[in-house]
Structures are given as C-alpha cells and as structure tokens.
C-alpha cells in the first residue's frame, strides 16, 4: 500500500486501497488552501477492523514527561500568538515544497551545480506520469524520466496473434474491429501482431468515475432520443388504432410498448465497463512499434483511429508517450517484450507516484521555488502498484522493480509503500534489497509508515529493514501556515501525529531520519490539475531521497567514493535533533535531515573505509532470536537485571579487496552509554574485519513506570568527529500494574494542546479479554480531534492494534470497547491531532477511564470433530464477577481443494531475470470448483496469505474465471470476497521463485474456498450443562454468573445434520465465532451487547449418511418379472452404447446409422430411444452442410413426437396421483419425463426450422411450409411455458419472424435475467442482433463492449 495522504479542502479523497489493519496510506488532495486542514483518508492492505481517517501531525511530548497544566497551556498559546508567524508570497511558495527545513536552500546556494545532476533515482510506486508538470527535463536540459515500466503486469496485453493486411490495407484487430493501417508505417515482414485491452483496466477508480459520468451523459442523451422515437411510434399507432380488436394489431401494439420498456430498463441497468482499445505491434526493421486504436473512448469515429496514431516504441529508446483521448487526458507508455508477443501498456494507478517524483526531482524553470528537492536528478518510474488490486503492491512488481533499478545503474531508490510485518528484516524482497544495497551500492530510502502515534507501528520495508533508510514525517511552522493553511501555525516544528514510531519488534530504532512530510507537487494530467497537496511519510521519503540525491551529485562531482554505508552514516550523524527528550528518537529517528552538514561530513570521510556495522544481539543463555536492539517490554523483564551479547561485524561491499580493505581494517572504539546507572558496558573494543563481541548489562530495577530509551554507541578513538559509528538502541517499557475488581485505570485532568500525546503502559491482567473505555472532555471552545491507539506485542504476530479517531464538537462523553490479550503489556496512546485546536488558547481537559474485563476459557479455538459429541468448555473469571452468556454462530464454510493441474514455466523476458543472472520460474496451479447456487466466496491459502514482505516466496497471484474465460476476481496475499453466480469456475494460482525445488514442494498446495452462508443459513450452536444434552434435548445452558477464580463448565453442541449447508463435502470446515461475555459498564440501551472478545470455532463436516434406499434393491411394488427386467436392462444398455459411438468419419456414421435402424425396428415406440437418437444428431458436427443437418434434426424430432400417444399423455398428466401410492407416483414421474422429451423434440424442431429459414432467406417457400414452424410452436405451448429460460429462445425467434423485435427482445431479456447461471454467448449474440434490427446503435455499441467482458477469447496474462 502507498503511504501518503491526500485531502481535499472539502472532502477527503478516496483511499487507494481497501481498508486493512496495516499502515494507513493517508493521501490528501487539495487544489487550494482551506481554512481548516482536512484529515487524510485511511486505507491499507489486508483484514482491518476500522480504518482511521486522519493525517498531518506534530512532535509530541514523551510519554513519561509531566502533563501540561492549564496555566502552562495558556502561556504557551500566548507565546505562539505573540510570535505571530507570518508568510510572504515567496515564503508561502517555499512552504508548498519545503526545502529550508533540511538545509537544501543553504546547500544549493553554496553549490548550485550539485542540484542532483548525475544522480538517477528509481521511483518504486504507483507509476509516474511522464506528461506531468516539471517532469520533462532536468535543470541542465537532460530528459527527466529515462524509463517508465509497469512491473506488475496489470497492463500486459497478449499480442501473440499474427494477422496480415488485406488489399485495402486493413487488418482485423483482436477485438474483431476492422482497422486501417497507416501506409507510411514501415513493416518489412508484413506481419501485424494484435491484442486488445478493456481500457478501464488501465485507469484509476477516480478517472473511471469521471469518465463514466461524462460517457453516461452522452449515452443518456442518445437513449432519451430513442425513447422519444419509440413513444412517438406508440402514440401514432394508438391514434390510428384506438381500439385494436384484431389479435395481430394487439401484438403489434404490445411490441411497440415492449420496445419502450426495453429502452427504459436499459437506462436503469446501465453499467459502463468501458470501451475496448485495439493494440497493434510490428517490427519496423529496427525496433518494435506499437499503435493503439482508441475510437471507442470518445464515441467519435473520426477520433482515435489506428492510422492516426503516432507509433510508440519502448519508452527508454525514444522517451515518447501517448494520450488515450482528450476526454480522459491520460498519458500512457508502451513497452514490448518477448519478441513482440507481449505489450505492456503503462499508466499510473494513482496520483501518488507522480507527486512523489515531483517532490524528489521536479524542475519548474518558471517557478523555481516549486522545484523538487533535486531538480537536476533523473528518474526511472517502476510501477509496483497493481491496477487489478486497486494500487496495492505485489511481489512480482517489487522484484521486477529491483531488477530494473540494477539494470539502469540507479544511484537511489525511493519507495513510499509498505505495511506491518510478522518478522522484521526478513523475507525474499528483503534478501534481494540487501543484495542491491551491498553489491550494487544503491541507496534505498522508504517511508516509515502512517500508523502512529503509538509505538511499534513502523512498517515494512522502510521501518523494519536494516538496509533501508526509513523516514518519518515532519511538519514545520512554515508548512503548517502555508501548505496546510492552518489559522495559527505552531511555534515549533514537530512530527506529524500519524507518523509511525519505533521500535521494531526486534528492538531496532525503526525510524532512521525525518524529513518534511507534506508538499504541493505535480500530479498526473488526468486529474485535470497540475499540482495538489498531499502529506504522509510517502512525502517525507522523497523529500529525504531528493536531499540524498544532492549528496550523490556532489560526491560524484568531487570524486568522493559513493556508498550507501557512507551516505547513511553522514545523514544520521548530522541530522538536527527535533526534541531533547531521548524517547522521542523512537518518533523522529536521529533527527531532521540536514543536507549541507551531511555533505561536509561526506567530504571529511572521503578516505575512510566503505563499511557499515552490523549488529546481532542475543540475551545471554539464549541462542535465538537474533535481535538488532534490546527491547524490554513488560513487568517481568523490568524486574531483573539482564545481560546481552552484542556481535559487532563490519560489512564491506561485495567487491571489497581482501588484501587492500579487509586485512588492514582495524578500529579502536570507545563505548558509551547514555545512562551508566541503567546500562553498563565495557569501555573499549578493538574491531577487525572478523568482528568483535561484547556484553551489555541492563538493570531497570529502579526506573519509573513508562517509556525509557537508552543507547550504547561506539566512537572512533582516532576520529571522534565521525560521531557514533554504530548504535545499540535500548528501549525499556515499564508498565503499571492495576488493582481492583475489576481492574481500573483512571486518568484525570489530562490537558492537551495541538499535537500533545499522552502514553500509558499497562500490564494487562492475566484473564483480561476486553476493556471498556470512557472518555470525557471539558474546557474546549472549538472542536477537537483525538487519535486513540492501543498496541500489544506478541511473538511472531503482527502488533495487536486498536485505533479510533474521535472528534468532540463540545464537552461530552464517548464510550468504546475492544478486545485485549491478557498478560501482555499494552500501550495506550491518546493524541490531540497536530492541527486540531491550534487557533484556540484553551487546552482540552480529558478524563479517561479504562476498565478491564475477562472470561478465560481452557481452549481459545473450539474445534468440533464432526461427531455427535459436544465439547466441554471450562470458563473462569479471574478479575471480577462476570455474566457468562455464551453465543456461537457458524457463518462460513471452507472447502479444501487440490490442484487438478500444475505447470512450471521459466519466464521468457529480461524483466524476470535477477541481477544474479538467474531466471525466475513460475508455477501455475489450476483448481476447479463448482457452485450449486450463487454465493460470496474467497480463496484462502494458509501457507502464503497475509504476508508480502515477510515471505520467502517472491510472489503469488490468483484469478477466478468462469467457463467463458471471464475473470471475476484477482488477488494476491490478501484475498477478497467476490460474489459469483451458479456455475463451474477455475482458479489459477501463480507463484514465482528462481528456485524450482521450492516450487516443486507446492505442486499439491491445498487451497480453501471460503463461502459465506446466507443469513438464513447461519447456524447458531446450542449449549448444554450435560454431555448427553444434544441427544436427549434437555439441560440447556443459557447463562451464569462467574465468581472470580471459580470455574464453570458447560458443553457446546455440534450443529445438527439438518442444518449443515447443502452440498458440503466431507472434510469441509464450518467456521464461526464464539463469545462468552457481555459489555457491562455502558450502552444501557443494549443490555446484552456481546463483549468484543471473540474466538474462532470450527466444525468438520462429517461423512455423508448412507441412503436408506441404496440396499433395498428392487421396489417392492414392482410387477415385472425377472425376464422383463432383464430385457429392460439389455435395451437400456444398447441405448447407452448408442450414445457412446462417435461419428468422426463415414464408416463410423454408417455403423451408427445401421445400429439406429436396428434399434428402431426392435423398439419401434420406445420414446427414450428416439430422444437419445435426437440427442446424438444434435451433437454431430455441422460444418459441412448445415441445412442437411437441420433436416436430420427435424426428422429425429418428428420420430420422438410420433412415438408418443399425446392424448394418453395429457390424460395421465391431468390425474392427481395418490401421494401414498408408490406405483402411481412412479407413473406420474415417467409421464413427466415423457412430456419433457416431447417438449424438447418440439423445441429442437422449431430451432432447426428457423435455422433453415435463415440460411435460405431468398428461397421462396409455400405458405403451407411457412406454417410448419407456427404449428410446431403452437403444439409446444400446449405442454410447457415457452417463455421460460429452457424454451424461450424459440419464442424469441417466433416473435422475430413475425417482425415483433420488441417483444422478442423483452422475452430474451427476461430469460437472461432469470438465468442464475453463467452467461450463454448465443443469447447475448441474439440480443445484439435484435437491437441492431430495431436500429438502436447506442445500445448495440454498449452491448458489444460488454461482450468483451463476458466472453473474452482468452485469459489475460498474469
């Protein structure tokens, strides 16, 4: 997910990703300033409780600082007012693209030629628009963007189909459109490769929404014109025939009314899936060329013609781009791969990347104050956001981006994407990043995340990876007053409230440095504006990256050896401190980037070894895990002295010389502790290439409760100017213990000003499972916004996080409840938003109470084994008396599948060849599943889901398609639910890695299809106080009062067999949740509101019961003798054998004909035989002589009809059989089967007659022959409703024959709507034919666009 935020002055922009419990991409879009800053929209990847809106921020007081008193607040406010921060026009423009804060202005004033020239930055993001303002040239006139690449594959078009032009110079495109080729295009081979793309698959949701509105407006005008025409025709008919008595006139009027109704319904059901663009590729003798036909976009046949398109080639060759149309104003790039068999159409999937690129390197010669940080730097755009996923990153995109960065010999990478991680500094992507940094010397800079203000919220990869420089977001008074347009700017700069904080789970600092986290920068042309305001760590990262690009430019110009190790040390050791409080390092990192100071440091370090210092820490007595810092979080850890072994290893680049660099390396280091009373260390160590270990003793016994931060660092005795050359971060959190029944934490009279944060660390009592919170505000004169966060850390799990954004318009009370994990330390973070209340002199007074509740059970996950036996549950309350009210509901079912096919394929293109030279291999697994009814489903892969950065497999991607090859859903590590109609489906799973042995182990990977049950099918489980309760039916358990410490036992019964979902195969798993308690301290209106602590409950579907009738044998009521039954079996076997014969050649057909003749003579009136013969005839190939084939069908159908005594059949069907008479029931069923055979024969005969008539339209036929169709139809409607889905096609054809296309279309539309299964192409083809016969060109064009969605010729590339 991206990590920026963009807000409009009126409304927050829609988030790029669906809500997930990860980092929030807070992206604000603002065309102009507003009187009050809006908050960013929150979004993220993966499952999420409640997404949080909010953006912008401030540095806050540390959690262990004393609360501010009202007097202090008033004094501070008065001082800020007195300071009277004012802007001039130049300073206002400067605030829109902040550079003073990081010393960029000073640096460029001293070194104007070091403005990024010679530096190449790879932008890993959502795709940069090469047409955006400021991104055409550098300050010294070079091309700004050297390459634009879609690394995800979402814009790929299969162009493997080869066609040749006809005599008129026209080709047939992949969409079926006839395209005129420009005669001036050079194509020696005369081979044209064609493909097509639904253009909306290339656009962002925002752009699609705009286009849909504009296109619908035009379509509505055309449809309204057609409605007016239809209404006029109906009115004229009624005037001419005021009282039509004739049946034909009534039908004619009905037809006109049906036309009018169809048009109106068409408008109601309008859903624009976008036009199709045809893509044509050819080789001109030098390079591959691409042209695009975009006529469908503007609806003007004179615009967007293929022949008028200026051909493109790979962007890096000519650096040219195209624009789809004036309507969308969206630029695109084309890149050709695999010898012309694949074209990548590259667009952006959000404005995010263009904004990021503009901050880093935009050049505006007319407005130099709006230049990016490094206007002389060049860029490559590597799109890692996948349009199919809304803009989420994929493993494929990340790896291809790294390959491109190495191939282009980039100096820097900026990546403003990320999310929480299970394991820090771990995973396939991290391994490749380490190689890129260590071997190829690329400096990697990334956003730390927008998930603050709580600690432990830094995201991967920026905040959790040792090789990546993670950047926090800073806001200065100038930025607040200018870019954010706040009424009164803060007196000092600060970190934004939402900027993520460290430490990481393994103790690393998390945030490396801070940089300005907001700017007004370029955005894509399709937004119809040139710049907008966004803020987030997505913006601080390119601000820092641009600053580092200045360093790179200067170091190259002055021949200073360039290394990520040197650069990182320079920027960290020269950063300006934002706060004097040690604990704030977890917020700001080492401080605010200062480019000028960093350059002086790099100059002075010119002759030093290019080396970094890797730290690996283990607690004495433990071999694992290997940590990067010391992190004591919890009361037990703070009650005793602990000793830690630090292994310090110098790390050189891979090409370092053994004799010249490794052997001579030796440094005498003096060790320092920021607090010797807590952290004890040796004084000196001698470090050589083979590393050195030393011990640290931490004694937190006497520290106060709260957050404490210390460091151990090493100084070079011979060059103390270098500053710390390594640091060991030490974070100690000492929680407070609660007492009482139930335990309560009360915080009274907390005073908040803008950006102030209060942190409390609580030892959550063992036995607690949920909390109930009351927040009361007073003493406020303007609305105030608060961020509330709680975080608990659990080994090998993502942080357990609850968050809420609360706005108080006036003094009031708000209540919350959420689940907690007993026995784990919980951070409670209360923050007043950085820009909230900044114009007020009154601090906000807050009273906060948090009450802990809990019901503990002996097993958190309840797994019922599918038997009739209930499961025993033992519940306890360890904190206070609680009301035990168990409730369990099963609302989903997971059905396991194994692949029916697995294929390995080495990927053919250079974009999938790793820098090491290894080619990536793809494993495609194919799964088949069937839905008996429409349902909402989601694929589930326990091994791979929910991990992108902390996963040793490179990537995963799936798609679900139907039998028509129409793709219903795509996804990656975070599968989402999709609603599917009844039918059969194929799921293809695509997994990539360069190690085929790893992929071999996944060939039989189990996948679950998780299906939501309809609400009416939810299964509520029952509880009992006795083990035999489910069978006997008594001893129901409803509720009880738990006394502290006293156990209460009860049973949960399995679901009854009758309630199990139909068609659930044995081995499937019912999934649901179980809760035990109720909220007690508030919500008086809902006395039985369930506690938020819920747990999983599973039930295995048992084997199906054996049918009682399977062993009964022959029905008791049968009257047939053994001989008769034998004859019947022989007859049925012969008929079955007949259907198995294939008629592939003349000999086969002759043998089949002989067998048919023999069976007819043997069973002359046996209707099932003739029905089977008809079925076989229908299955014959019709390519040679269609008319003869249809005549055969008519003959076979007539034989079925003649074999049936229709009078006897009608008589038997009219009788009501005795429901208790088995024989009469069997007779009734047999008669219904015969009726169906009769109706099917009449139906097939009617279709054949209509086909013959259409194939011989000019051949005159006698009136009696014309009546055959009508007579056949009238016979059919005697037996069945001919307008149903099964027989409706014949009714459509009949109405069409009679010239009543309106009625035919109405019947056909009803058939399509009533059909709950997957679409049938022949019905939609027929619909288009009827619409064209009526003359509705706009409806026909709309339906033809949908045909590409419903019935694509092939599946798209992965």
């Amino acid at each position: 997910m991206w990590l920026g935020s963009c807000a409009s002055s009126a409304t927050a922009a829609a988030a790029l990703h669906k809500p997930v419990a990860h980092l929030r991409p807070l992206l604000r879009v603002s065309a102009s300033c507003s009187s009050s800053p809006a908050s960013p929209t929150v979004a993220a990847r993966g499952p999420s409780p409640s997404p949080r809106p909010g953006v912008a921020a401030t540095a806050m007081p540390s959690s262990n600082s004393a609360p501010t008193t009202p007097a202090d607040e008033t004094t501070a406010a008065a001082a800020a007012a007195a300071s009277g921060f004012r802007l001039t026009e130049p300073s206002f423009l400067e605030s829109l693209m902040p550079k003073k804060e990081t010393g960029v202005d000073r640096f460029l004033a001293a070194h104007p030629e070091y403005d990024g020239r010679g530096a190449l930055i790879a932008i890993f993001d959502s795709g940069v628009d090469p047409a955006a303002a400021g991104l055409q040239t550098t300050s010294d006139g070079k091309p700004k963007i050297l390459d634009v690449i879609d690394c995800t594959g979402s814009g790929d078009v299969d162009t493997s189909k080869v066609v040749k032009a006809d005599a008129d110079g026209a080709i047939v495109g992949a969409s079926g459109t006839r395209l005129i080729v420009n005669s001036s295009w050079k194509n020696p081979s005369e081979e044209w490769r064609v493909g097509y793309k639904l253009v909306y698959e290339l656009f962002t949701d925002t752009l699609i929404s705009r286009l849909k509105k504009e296109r619908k407006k035009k379509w509505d005008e055309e449809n309204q014109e057609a409605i007016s025409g239809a209404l006029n025709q109906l009115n004229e008919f009624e005037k001419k025939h005021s009282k039509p008595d004739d049946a034909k006139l009534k039908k004619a009027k009905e037809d006109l009314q049906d036309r009018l109704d169809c048009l109106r319904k068409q408008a109601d059901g309008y859903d624009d899936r976008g036009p199709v663009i045809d893509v044509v590729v050819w080789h001109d003798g030098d390079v591959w060329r691409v042209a695009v036909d975009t006529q469908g976009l503007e609806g003007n046949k004179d615009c967007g013609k293929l022949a008028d398109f200026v051909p493109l080639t790979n962007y890096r060759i000519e650096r040219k781009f195209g624009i789809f149309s004036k309507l969308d104003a969206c630029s695109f790039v084309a890149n050709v791969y695999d010898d012309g068999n694949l074209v990548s159409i590259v667009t952006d999937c959000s404005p995010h990347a263009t904004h990021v690129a503009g901050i880093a390197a935009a050049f505006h010669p007319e407005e130099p104050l709006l230049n990016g940080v490094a206007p002389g730097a060049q860029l490559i755009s590597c799109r890692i956001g996948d349009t199919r996923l809304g803009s989420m990153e994929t493993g494929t995109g990340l790896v291809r981006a790294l390959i491109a960065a190495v191939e282009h010999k980039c100096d820097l990478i900026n990546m403003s994407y990320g999310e929480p991680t299970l394991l820090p500094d771990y995973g396939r992507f991290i391994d490749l990043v380490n190689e890129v940094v260590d071997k190829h010397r690329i400096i990697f800079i990334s956003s730390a995340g927008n998930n603050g203000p709580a600690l432990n919220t830094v995201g991967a990869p920026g905040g959790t990876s040792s090789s990546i420089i993670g950047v926090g977001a800073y806001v200065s008074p100038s930025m607040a007053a200018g870019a954010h347009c706040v009424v009164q700017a803060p007196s000092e700069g600060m970190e934004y409230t939402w900027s993520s904080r460290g430490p990481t789970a393994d103790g690393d600092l998390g945030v490396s440095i801070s940089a300005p986290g907001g700017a007004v920068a370029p955005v894509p042309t399709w937004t119809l504006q040139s710049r907008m305001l966004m803020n987030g760590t997505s913006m601080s990262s390119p601000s820092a990256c641009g600053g580092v690009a200045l360093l790179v430019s200067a170091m190259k110009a002055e021949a200073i050896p360039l290394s990520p190790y040197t650069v990182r040390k320079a920027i960290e050791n020269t950063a300006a401190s934002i706060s004097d409080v040690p604990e704030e390092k977890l917020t700001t990192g080492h401080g605010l980037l200062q480019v000028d100071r960093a350059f002086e440091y790099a100059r002075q370090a010119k002759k030093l070894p290019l080396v970094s210092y890797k730290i690996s820490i283990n607690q004495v007595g433990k071999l694992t895990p290997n940590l990067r810092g010391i992190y004591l979080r919890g009361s037990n850890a703070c009650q005793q002295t602990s000793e830690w072994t630090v292994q310090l290893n110098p790390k050189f680049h891979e090409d370092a010389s053994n004799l010249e660099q490794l052997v001579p390396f030796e440094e005498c280091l003096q060790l320092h502790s920021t607090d010797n009373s807590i952290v004890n260390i040796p004084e000196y160590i001698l470090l050589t290439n083979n590393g050195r270990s030393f011990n640290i003793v931490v004694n937190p016994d006497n520290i106060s409760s709260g957050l404490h931060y210390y460091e151990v660092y090493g100084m070079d005795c011979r060059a103390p100017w270098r500053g710390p050359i390594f640091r060991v971060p030490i974070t100690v959190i000492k929680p407070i213990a609660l007492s009482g029944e139930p335990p309560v934490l009360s915080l009274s009279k907390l005073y908040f000003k803008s950006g102030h944060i209060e942190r409390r660390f609580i030892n959550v009592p063992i036995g607690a499972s949920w909390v109930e919170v009351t927040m009361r505000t007073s003493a406020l004169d303007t609305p105030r916004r608060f961020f509330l966060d709680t975080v608990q850390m659990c080994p090998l799990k993502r942080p357990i996080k609850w968050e809420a954004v609360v706005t108080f318009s006036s003094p009031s009370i708000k209540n919350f409840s959420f689940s907690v994990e007993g026995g784990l330390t919980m951070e409670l973070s209360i923050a007043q938003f950085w820009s909230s209340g900044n114009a007020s002199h009154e601090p906000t007074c807050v009273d906060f109470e948090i009450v802990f509740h809990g019901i503990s059970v002996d097993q958190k996950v309840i797994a019922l084994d599918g038997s009739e036996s209930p499961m025993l549950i033992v519940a306890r309350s360890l904190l206070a008396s609680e009301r035990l009210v168990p409730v369990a509901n099963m609302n989903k079912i997971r059905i396991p599948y194994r692949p029916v096919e697995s294929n390995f394929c080495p990927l053919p293109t250079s974009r999938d060849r790793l820098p090491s030279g290894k080619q990536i291999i793809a494993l495609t697994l194919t799964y088949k599943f069937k839905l008996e009814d429409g349902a909402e489903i989601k694929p589930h892969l326990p091994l791979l889901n929910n991990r992108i950065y902390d996963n040793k497999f490179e990537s995963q991607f799936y798609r679900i398609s139907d039998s028509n090859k129409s793709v219903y859903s795509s996804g990656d590590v975070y599968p989402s639910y999709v609603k599917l109609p009844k039918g059969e489906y194929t799921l293809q799973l695509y997994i990539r890695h360069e190690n085929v042995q790893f992929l071999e182990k996944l060939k039989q990977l189990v996948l679950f299809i998780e299906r939501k049950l309809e609400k009416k099918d939810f299964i509520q489980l029952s509880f009992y106080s006795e083990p035999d309760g489910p069978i006997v039916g008594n001893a129901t358990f409803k509720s009880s009062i738990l006394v502290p410490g006293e156990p209460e036992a009860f049973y949960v019964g399995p679901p009854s067999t009758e309630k199990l979902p139909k068609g659930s195969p044995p081995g499937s798993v019912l999934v649901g949740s179980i809760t035990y308690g109720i909220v007690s301290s508030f919500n008086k209106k809902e006395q039985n509101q369930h506690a938020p602590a819920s747990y999983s409950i599973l039930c295995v579907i048992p084997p199906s019961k054996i049918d009682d009738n399977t062993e009964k044998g022959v029905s008791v009521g049968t009257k047939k003798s053994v001989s008769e039954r034998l004859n019947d079996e022989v007859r049925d076997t012969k008929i079955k054998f007949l259907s198995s014969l294939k008629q592939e050649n003349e000999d086969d057909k002759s043998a089949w004909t002989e067998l048919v003749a023999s069976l007819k003579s043997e069973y002359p009136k046996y209707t099932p035989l003739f029905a089977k013969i008809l079925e076989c005839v229908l299955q014959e190939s019709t390519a040679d002589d269609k008319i003869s084939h249809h005549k055969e069908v008519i003959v076979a159908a007539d034989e079925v009809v003649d074999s049936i005594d229709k009078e006897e059949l009608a008589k038997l069907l009219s009788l009501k059989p005795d429901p208790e008479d088995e024989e009469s029931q069997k007779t009734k069923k047999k008669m219904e089967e015969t009726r169906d055979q009769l109706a099917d024969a009449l139906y097939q005969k009617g279709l054949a007659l209509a086909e013959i008539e259409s194939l011989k339209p000019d051949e005159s036929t006698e009136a009696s022959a014309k009546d055959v169709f009508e007579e056949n139809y009238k016979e059919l409607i005697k037996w069945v409703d001919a307008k149903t889905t099964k027989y409706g096609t014949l009714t459509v054809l009949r109405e069409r024959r009679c010239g009543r296309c309106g009625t035919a279309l109405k019947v056909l539309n009803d058939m399509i709507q009533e059909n709950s299964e997957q679409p049938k192409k022949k019905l939609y083809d027929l619909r288009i034919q009827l619409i064209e016969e009526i003359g509705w060109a706009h409806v026909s064009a709309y339906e033809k666009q949908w045909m590409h969605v419903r019935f694509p010729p092939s599946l798209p590339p992965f």
Side-chain angles (χ1 to χ4, degrees), residues 362-380:
F363 174 58
H364 302 282
E366 326 79 30
E367 285 285 1
L369 291 177
L370 293 178
N371 280 349
V373 179
Q378 292 179 296
L379 307 172
I380 68 167

Side-chain angles (χ1 to χ4, degrees), residues 6 8 13-14 16 27-32 126-129 131-133 135 203-211 214 323 325-331 347-355 520-534:
C6 149
S8 157
L16 289 183
L27 186 69
R28 271 192 190 196
V29 181
S30 180
S32 60
S126 60
V128 179
D129 180 6
L135 297 181
F203 292 166
T204 68
D205 289 343
T206 306
L207 176 56
I208 292 170
S209 177
R210 173 166 68 82
L211 290 178
E214 295 182 24
I323 302 290
S325 71
K326 293 179 181 179
L327 184 65
D328 54 78
C330 180
S331 63
T347 58
D348 63 87
C349 59
S350 86
H352 192 259
T354 304
H355 196 276
V520 174
V523 288
T525 54
W526 60 259
T527 63
L528 307 186
Q529 63 184 97
S530 59
R531 300 180 185 93
M532 67 173 61
L533 168 66
M534 298 186 193

Side-chain angles (χ1 to χ4, degrees), residues 1255-1275:
L1255 292 170
K1256 297 164 46 176
D1258 300 328
E1259 187 174 318
S1260 59
T1261 54
E1262 297 179 4
S1264 58
K1266 289 184 177 181
D1267 291 339
V1268 174
F1269 178 93
E1270 190 67 22
E1271 291 173 3
N1272 182 78
Y1273 181 81
K1274 289 179 179 178
E1275 183 64 28

Side-chain angles (χ1 to χ4, degrees), residues 1138 1141 1143 1147-1159:
L1138 174 69
L1141 290 179
Q1143 304 178 56
D1147 291 340
D1148 291 344
K1149 188 172 180 62
S1150 176
W1152 184 84
T1153 304
E1154 288 180 12
L1155 179 59
V1156 166
S1158 172
L1159 291 174

